[in-house]
């Protein structure tokens, strides 16, 4: 056989060897993970959430881990194991269950008993081309995560006062609504759209908020934005009322701190939602907003309506915080020369 033929055959053999090596060691092509689904790694005494994040990153998946359960330390060794099997083994070692969302692109991990009762969130507000977000957090407050999503998507997300807890997550170029729905499920909550605001609460609480009773606004209505972290609800309510040029009064049981970030909301939607997500009710009587316990507000409704209809000859300006009712009434009496009797 001639030397040129031998050289040609040898060249073909080298090309074949090179192609085999490339197919064995090349990184998977995006969208082709199913053809090269295996992973090899070893960890000793590592937090389960960190192991899950590494596997998810290599598999091109997004994950959410609920609560502190992901902090459990585990030791694992995988040799050429499929991504799904690897994720499930880590979940089993940490005592977690796994829920697949949106075609398996997002995996939610958490306590088996608690996640089993979570609503399967499929909100009606998914836009056709939602903004994409990327974020990676460990044990972050769900209120802060919701605030980040709201900022990036330019929308309004409002959490009920009972929605608390820390979550770990990793999202890469994920539609914001899918990321939010995953976080909400991990928090054992549900969500609903009210006007331009996404409300996050338990289903019972969403029903109790009577969202359909909030008056709709027209395009000419004044709109305001608020960004507040852990501030007394009474101060937030007062600030909201004053931005629309209204007076306000709060009932004796109104307490608690709130965190909100809201953009371009009309008066009724902003103030009523602010009240209801904190377990209270708000109603406007003339130029006066009243924030109180729903039962008390209903009991005093008739008197407040009548008071708003009366045309007062004089007006006064007072500003109190945690004041005794008797002191307020005595000051009003002195300013208006009205007779006030306190029993």
């Amino acid at each position: 056989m001639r030397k040129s033929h031998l050289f040609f055959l040898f060249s073909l053999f080298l090309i074949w060897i090179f192609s085999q090596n490339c197919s064995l060691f090349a990184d998977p092509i995006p969208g082709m993970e199913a053809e090269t689904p295996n992973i090899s790694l070893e960890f000793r005494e590592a937090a389960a959430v960190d192991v899950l994040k590494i596997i998810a990153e290599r598999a091109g998946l997004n994950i959410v881990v609920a609560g502190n359960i992901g902090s459990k330390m585990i030791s694992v060794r995988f040799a050429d194991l499929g991504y799904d099997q690897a994720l499930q083994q880590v979940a089993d070692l940490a005592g977690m269950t796994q829920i697949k969302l949106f075609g398996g692109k997002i995996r939610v991990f958490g306590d088996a008993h608690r996640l089993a009762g979570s609503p399967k969130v499929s909100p009606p507000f998914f836009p056709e081309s939602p903004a994409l977000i990327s974020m990676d957090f460990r044990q972050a407050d769900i209120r802060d995560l919701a605030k980040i999503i709201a900022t990036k998507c330019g929308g309004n997300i409002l959490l009920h006062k009972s929605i608390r807890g820390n979550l770990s997550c990793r999202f890469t170029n994920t539609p914001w609504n899918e990321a939010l729905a995953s976080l909400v499920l991990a928090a054992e909550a549900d969500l609903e759209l009210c006007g331009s605001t996404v409300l996050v609460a338990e289903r019972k609480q969403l029903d109790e908020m009577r969202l359909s009773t909030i008056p709709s606004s027209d395009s000419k209505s004044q709109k305001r934005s608020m960004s507040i972290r852990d501030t007394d609800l009474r101060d937030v309510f007062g600030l909201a009322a004053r931005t629309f040029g209204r007076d306000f009064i709060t009932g004796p049981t109104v307490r608690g701190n709130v965190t909100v970030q809201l953009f371009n909301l009309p008066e009724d939607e902003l103030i009523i939602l602010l009240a209801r997500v904190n377990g209270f009710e708000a109603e406007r009587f003339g130029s006066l907003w009243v924030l109180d316990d729903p039962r008390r507000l209903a009991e005093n409704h008739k008197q407040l309506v009548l008071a708003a209809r009366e045309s007062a000859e004089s007006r006064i300006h007072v500003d109190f915080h945690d004041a005794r009712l008797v002191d307020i009434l005595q000051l009003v009496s002195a300013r208006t020369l009205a007779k006030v009797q306190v029993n």
Side-chain angles (χ1 to χ4, degrees):
M1 186 177 291
R2 302 176 66 177
K3 290 184 178 180
S4 59
H5 291 164
L6 290 173
F7 180 78
F8 177 75
L9 292 174
F10 182 72
S11 298
L12 288 177
F13 176 74
L14 290 178
I15 292 173
W16 179 80
I17 291 293
F18 180 77
S19 66
Q20 294 301 305
N21 287 338
C22 286
S23 64
L24 286 173
F25 300 109
D27 290 331
I29 300 173
M32 299 291 289
E33 286 85 343
E35 296 184 6
T36 55
N38 297 344
I39 184 172
S40 297
L41 54 80
E42 182 173 3
F43 284 97
R44 191 185 188 98
E45 288 299 305
V49 62
D50 295 330
V51 180
L52 287 172
K53 281 188 175 184
I54 291 174
I55 298 173
E57 181 179 6
R58 295 189 184 181
L61 300 173
N62 302 291
I63 68 166
V64 179
V65 181
N68 297 318
I69 193 169
S71 300
K72 184 175 181 179
M73 307 303 287
I74 62 172
S75 297
V76 296
R77 182 178 183 277
F78 301 138
D80 200 32
L81 189 66
Y83 287 119
D84 274 327
Q85 290 178 285
L87 289 171
Q88 191 58 54
Q89 285 195 22
V90 173
D92 291 341
L93 285 171
M96 295 185 287
T97 191
Q98 175 185 184
I99 296 178
K100 300 179 182 180
L101 299 177
F102 306 106
K105 295 183 296 181
I106 300 179
R107 310 294 176 91
V108 178
F109 297 87
D111 180 86
H113 299 293
R114 301 183 69 174
L115 275 188
S118 296
K120 302 304 181 285
V121 178
S122 55
F125 61 91
F126 280 17
E128 294 183 1
S129 301
L132 302 180
I133 66 169
S134 297
M135 58 184 190
D136 190 338
F137 288 95
R138 179 171 177 179
Q139 289 296 296
D141 191 312
I142 186 173
R143 295 172 297 172
D144 293 329
L145 295 176
K147 185 176 180 180
I148 291 171
I149 293 176
T151 301
K152 291 191 175 183
C153 74
N156 293 311
I157 303 172
L158 198 53
L159 277 63
H160 191 276
K161 66 176 182 179
S162 64
I163 304 302
R164 290 287 188 271
N166 293 342
L167 301 173
S168 299
C169 65
R170 180 185 180 277
F171 296 114
T172 303
N173 293 326
T174 305
W176 72 266
N177 40 32
E178 294 184 5
L180 177 61
S182 306
L183 294 172
V184 168
L185 184 142
E188 305 168 54
D190 204 344
L191 44 73
E192 189 168 327
L193 183 65
C194 177
S196 59
T197 304
V198 180
L199 294 176
V200 178
E202 295 178 3
R203 171 44 53 187
K204 180 181 178 182
Q205 294 164 340
L206 288 172
D207 294 338
E208 291 173 349
M209 281 190 229
R210 299 174 293 111
L211 303 179
S212 61
T213 65
I214 297 178
S216 58
S217 60
D218 55 44
S219 58
K220 297 181 180 179
S221 300
Q222 289 186 337
K223 296 181 179 180
R224 297 288 186 268
S225 300
M226 297 184 70
S227 181
I228 292 173
R229 181 79 162 85
D230 276 334
T231 303
D232 191 303
L233 173 60
R234 294 165 295 179
D235 295 330
V236 177
F237 182 76
L239 175 62
R242 286 192 294 266
T243 59
F244 290 101
R246 309 293 188 186
D247 300 319
F248 74 96
I249 186 170
T250 62
T253 61
V254 176
R255 292 291 186 274
N257 286 13
V258 297
T259 296
V260 296
Q261 177 159 311
L262 301 170
F263 303 98
N264 296 320
L265 281 183
E267 181 178 0
D268 288 338
E269 186 176 334
L270 190 156
I271 294 180
I272 295 176
L273 284 180
L274 186 62
R276 292 184 182 177
V277 297
N278 287 284
F280 299 102
E281 183 60 271
E283 189 169 351
R284 183 164 62 87
F285 301 90
S287 63
L288 176 69
W289 274 105
V290 179
L291 174 67
D292 204 349
D293 176 82
R295 180 184 57 81
R296 285 172 49 87
L297 192 56
E299 290 175 351
N300 298 315
H301 187 270
K302 182 180 291 187
Q303 291 88 337
L304 289 167
V305 170
L306 291 174
R309 290 176 181 173
E310 295 178 354
S311 56
E313 295 181 357
S314 62
R315 294 179 178 272
I316 64 172
H317 174 79
V318 292
D319 194 343
F320 289 98
H321 197 293
D322 276 337
R324 295 189 308 164
L325 177 60
V326 63
D327 296 331
I328 299 175
L329 293 176
Q330 287 176 351
L331 177 60
V332 172
S333 176
R335 295 277 186 91
T336 63
L337 301 179
K339 293 182 179 180
V340 178
Q341 181 176 353
V342 180
N343 296 322

